[in-house]
Amino acid sequence: MRVVVIGGDAVGMTAASQIKRSLGDDVDVIVIQEQQWTSYSACGIPYWIAGETTGPDTLVARSPEQHREHGIDVRTGMLASAIDPDTGSVTMQPVTGGPATRLGYDHLVIGTGSRPRTPPVDGLDLPGVYRVQTLDEGQAAIDGLARDPRTAVVLGAGYIGIEMAEAGVQRGLATTVVDLAPEPMVSLDADMGCLVRAGMTERGVDMRMGEPVRELLAGADGRVRAVVTDAGEIPADIVFLGLGVTPRTELAAAAGLPLGEHGGLLTDDHQRVRGYGNIWAGGDCVEVTDRLTGAERYLPLGTHANKHGRVIGVNIAGGDLAFPGVIGTAITKFCDLEVSRTGLKEDEQDGLVSVLIHAQTSVGYMPDSAVMAVKMIAERTTGRLMGTQIVGGRGAAMRIDTAATAIWTGMTAPELVQLDLAYSPPFSPVWDPVQVAARVLLGKLSD
Amino acid sequence: MRVVVIGGDAVGMTAASQIKRSLGDDVDVIVIQEQQWTSYSACGIPYWIAGETTGPDTLVARSPEQHREHGIDVRTGMLASAIDPDTGSVTMQPVTGGPATRLGYDHLVIGTGSRPRTPPVDGLDLPGVYRVQTLDEGQAAIDGLARDPRTAVVLGAGYIGIEMAEAGVQRGLATTVVDLAPEPMVSLDADMGCLVRAGMTERGVDMRMGEPVRELLAGADGRVRAVVTDAGEIPADIVFLGLGVTPRTELAAAAGLPLGEHGGLLTDDHQRVRGYGNIWAGGDCVEVTDRLTGAERYLPLGTHANKHGRVIGVNIAGGDLAFPGVIGTAITKFCDLEVSRTGLKEDEQDGLVSVLIHAQTSVGYMPDSAVMAVKMIAERTTGRLMGTQIVGGRGAAMRIDTAATAIWTGMTAPELVQLDLAYSPPFSPVWDPVQVAARVLLGKLSD
């Protein structure tokens, strides 16, 4: 049996490793990878740029050579240029040009990932403007920092934007974040996004919310020198782009594979591309099913990609494993300000009720105790928990996993209040903040 | 209506406040409290002694005066000396002596708490030997530290013992922990207890496990100078007792109220003392039902006491709220070594299977990433999660709440692997350590 994998990162290499481990010599696994790297942590690039960790090698979980030692035929520097589902083959050619080769497959795994959004703004390609999705882009940004910039502008106030703002501050740059949205982190409700904005402002970032970017200007040396918004010109020795990503599915689209309304590949719950028995896809190039609404969403996160890779690997190796969908759990931080979320936002569905409470991360008399806000959302008729958002000091955000587990299992607010959670003064108040939120929510539910 | 409450700490004052808030002037709430304090955090005393926080006022969540302002009649310095369920009355008298008074009640709440275990060892009452359960005892220990001791011995290696060892180390004392058990923390399996012992030894504590204490010796000044075990004499300028507690139920027993095999009061799931319509009890003086086994256990923890107080308060005020039992979730730390547990131990029931894995608290390339061990236990036939134990560096232990929520809701190991948990390099590896444990457990379940 031959399995061809397009894309050598989380989905592709996880699936490839799983298949090779299960089937050994009974399978040939060929991975077509455009870059020279495999299995790297794109999520770590902001921390590399911040100087908190080193790179690029540190961010590589497993190199092409290591994968080859495990019997996986990794072809780096190769570009997949066509998929032919009828004949069961993929065409590939070297990135540097050269003759195309056709590879037949019994199973095809598509893990082509995503690409950064690029709005139609002049100057996004100027020297000094950096994307931070690949290791090469990360290295370019590191090289840019070596030119001793004083001012940084981050375009976009989502997860990557916030992490790049942290990198700017850590590097001692006067840092500005610009976004069209009225508050940072549109995955939060606006009242929680407002707390993120306030926290980042307090910590020295100039937060320019609700300001559309018009253009980027070059200096005499041809490098970026300013970002122009509706409100004026912002000096920028260096610019980081955190404008989000879109699924990279042109190849799949050209082959006639089904795409959803967000542009991602559509799969069944076993990660089989809909309508195809032997084509599989996962990670940043697919849409995922929201367990709470049943709708398809685009949520490109490493945690889903790894789970997809495992699911695909198990199934191709003869197993039967479904991916159960997502509830949108995510976490990030800006310096010591932690942010996390799971489930639905307040206005994402009718009939929801919410509360926003303030509590402490640990008992108030402990020296590290910090303020945290919890927003909790439930179905009014049933009390079923539907969403939670957290913004607060050190130790606040990981509580989202408690809420995510509760939401995943269909727990109600009154049940969460009674849940046997851990308590000790350095770790938590005697009523955990998520339980405090659930208690306050109870009052609203019984109104 | 008159409600009499015996005990002015977590259960009693939570119930009293809840009742007064609900019923206002329609109820008289009288609290009989032996000490001068109410609503204090016994769990905070080790951190006060360590010098991490101040005391005793800081540890008081709400003083008798504050409760009185809310209309609760708090009688400090009063001892309840008899309960008469037939006439519905309690006898009380001043701690300092004086005439007894009889108080009739419509409802009685018993929150008499616990008292330290005192094994039959000579010298436990010597000056320089401190219990750490009440604020007065905490103050005495603080005064003892002012005498500039050099060596500390902690008797007992449970939660309080470990926290007092931390206090000793924080105060710069050469600290020894002595316990009869082969490993510290008998609420963990021995393989995890062993990791706690190793971690504490590495951090400078002399861990004398499996050594029965024979006696405590006094010096020429009449104060403690050494602890004698089967293995010899250990110098001790100061001794802290962390030998656990037993339910304080003599008063209830004398009144004929039902006690369980651990000596705690037995209640129904509304915290009504079994067989009595208007006597309620909670906290450290009752036994609690284990949700996983259905058996009664003695688990004196502040988190249960607070929940019991709320349940009792709601029910006396005319509501209908059940306490759903416990699964034994608990957490503590020794300096930067964190420890937590929930559910059953490996040998607590037949048919369980377990794994012990090592992982990192965050992605390995992050500077604060630390090693952590997770032990996970499931039912062999169903895969249902039954227990989890964690020992590791900073950020490790609070993951127990994810496991506790999963166990509480009856989740299986394969379900936990697929759960949508938060991922970002500073917070977690892409597969959370509890999911890594669940994955490894899957392999064993399918054996």
Side-chain angles (χ1 to χ4, degrees), chain A residues 35-395:
Chain A
Q35 302 175 51
Q36 294 303 321
W37 316 97
T38 49
S39 302
Y40 69 92
S41 173
C43 310
I45 294 173
Y47 303 98
W48 172 27
I49 297 173
E52 283 197 58
T53 183
T54 55
D57 293 344
T58 320
L59 302 186
V60 177
R62 201 175 266 190
S63 68
E65 293 65 39
Q66 290 171 312
H67 283 298
R68 286 178 195 128
E69 283 165 21
H70 287 85
I72 300 169
D73 182 359
V74 184
R75 314 273 182 95
T76 51
M78 295 297 282
L79 193 68
S81 54
I83 298 169
D84 184 352
D86 292 336
T87 60
S89 64
V90 172
T91 307
M92 63 176 186
Q93 54 191 137
V95 174
T96 51
T101 325
R102 216 177 152 98
L103 263 182
Y105 61 77
D106 297 298
H107 288 279
L108 175 66
V109 178
I110 303 176
T112 44
S114 59
R115 62 163 51 87
R117 277 179 203 282
T118 40
V121 168
D122 280 347
L124 286 182
D125 289 324
L126 285 174
V129 179
Y130 300 102
R131 291 175 176 78
V132 295
Q133 216 203 0
T134 66
L135 293 181
D136 289 339
E137 289 165 356
Q139 185 61 58
I142 295 280
D143 296 343
L145 285 169
R147 305 174 71 99
D148 201 23
R150 307 289 165 88
T151 54
V153 174
V154 179
L155 302 187
Y159 293 90
I160 300 298
I162 281 178
E163 291 161 12
M164 288 313 301
E166 174 177 303
V169 168
Q170 301 269 47
R171 290 288 188 174
L173 309 180
T175 302
T176 303
V177 173
V178 181
D179 200 299
L180 188 59
E183 297 294 351
M185 306 215 63
V186 292
S187 67
L188 303 180
D189 284 316
D191 48 3
M192 295 298 280
C194 175
L195 298 178
V196 176
R197 177 165 54 86
M200 292 182 70
T201 303
E202 267 170 37
R203 289 164 179 79
V205 178
D206 185 3
M207 297 294 288
R208 304 286 193 97
M209 295 296 105
E211 288 192 23
V213 174
R214 290 300 160 206
E215 60 177 327
L216 277 65
L217 303 179
D221 61 356
R223 298 181 64 85
V224 71
R225 71 162 179 83
V227 170
V228 182
T229 73
D230 276 7
E233 204 174 300
I234 308 164
D237 298 335
I238 195 167
V239 171
F240 299 116
L241 301 186
L243 298 166
V245 298
T246 54
R248 209 175 141 186
T249 46
E250 296 77 1
L251 192 65
L257 304 186
L259 302 188
E261 60 177 303
H262 309 288
L265 273 160
L266 294 177
T267 70
D268 66 16
D269 69 352
H270 281 57
Q271 297 308 125
R272 228 183 232 106
V273 173
R274 286 186 201 166
Y276 294 82
N278 65 341
I279 305 183
W280 313 74
D284 286 11
C285 67
V286 306
E287 302 192 359
V288 288
T289 306
D290 188 313
R291 275 171 75 88
L292 297 171
T293 63
E296 303 301 310
R297 299 176 65 177
Y298 184 57
L299 275 177
L301 291 173
T303 172
H304 305 328
N306 275 275
K307 289 194 184 80
H308 286 162
R310 174 172 171 261
V311 166
I312 293 169
V314 166
N315 289 328
I316 290 181
D320 175 11
L321 183 61
F323 180 74
V326 306
I327 56 174
T329 312
I331 190 168
T332 189
K333 74 182 185 74
F334 175 81
C335 302
D336 65 334
L337 182 74
E338 301 185 354
V339 184
S340 57
R341 58 96 59 224
T342 189
L344 301 185
K345 294 199 287 181
E346 188 176 3
D347 55 4
E348 226 162 329
Q349 193 171 283
D350 287 340
L352 301 181
V353 54
S354 77
V355 291
L356 195 168
I357 63 110
H358 286 83
Q360 297 286 130
T361 53
S362 58
V363 180
Y365 55 70
M366 294 301 290
D368 296 333
S369 185
V371 173
M372 63 182 281
V374 181
K375 180 162 188 172
M376 192 169 279
I377 297 155
E379 241 172 21
R380 185 181 289 279
T381 49
T382 62
R384 188 187 162 180
L385 296 167
M386 297 299 274
T388 301
Q389 298 163 34
I390 296 172
V391 176
R394 209 159 270 153

Side-chain angles (χ1 to χ4, degrees), chain A residues 41 44 47 52-53 58 304 306-307 310 322 327-329 331 365 367 401-402 408 417-420 422 424 426 430 442, chain B residues 41 44 47 52-53 58 306-307 310 322 327-329 331 365 367 401-402 408-409 417-420 422 424 426 430 442:
Chain A
S41 173
Y47 303 98
E52 283 197 58
T53 183
T58 320
H304 305 328
N306 275 275
K307 289 194 184 80
R310 174 172 171 261
I327 56 174
T329 312
I331 190 168
Y365 55 70
D401 281 348
T402 306
W408 184 275
V417 175
Q418 300 272 37
L419 189 58
D420 188 3
S424 170
V430 68
L442 279 189
Chain B
S41 172
Y47 303 99
E52 283 197 57
T53 183
T58 320
N306 275 275
K307 290 194 183 81
R310 173 172 172 261
I327 54 173
T329 312
I331 191 168
Y365 55 69
D401 282 349
T402 306
W408 184 275
T409 57
V417 175
Q418 300 272 38
L419 188 58
D420 188 2
S424 170
V430 69
L442 279 190

Side-chain angles (χ1 to χ4, degrees), chain B residues 10-12 14 282-284 299 301-310 323:
Chain B
V11 183
T14 303
D284 287 10
L299 275 176
L301 291 172
T303 173
H304 305 328
N306 275 275
K307 290 194 183 81
H308 287 162
R310 173 172 172 261
F323 179 74

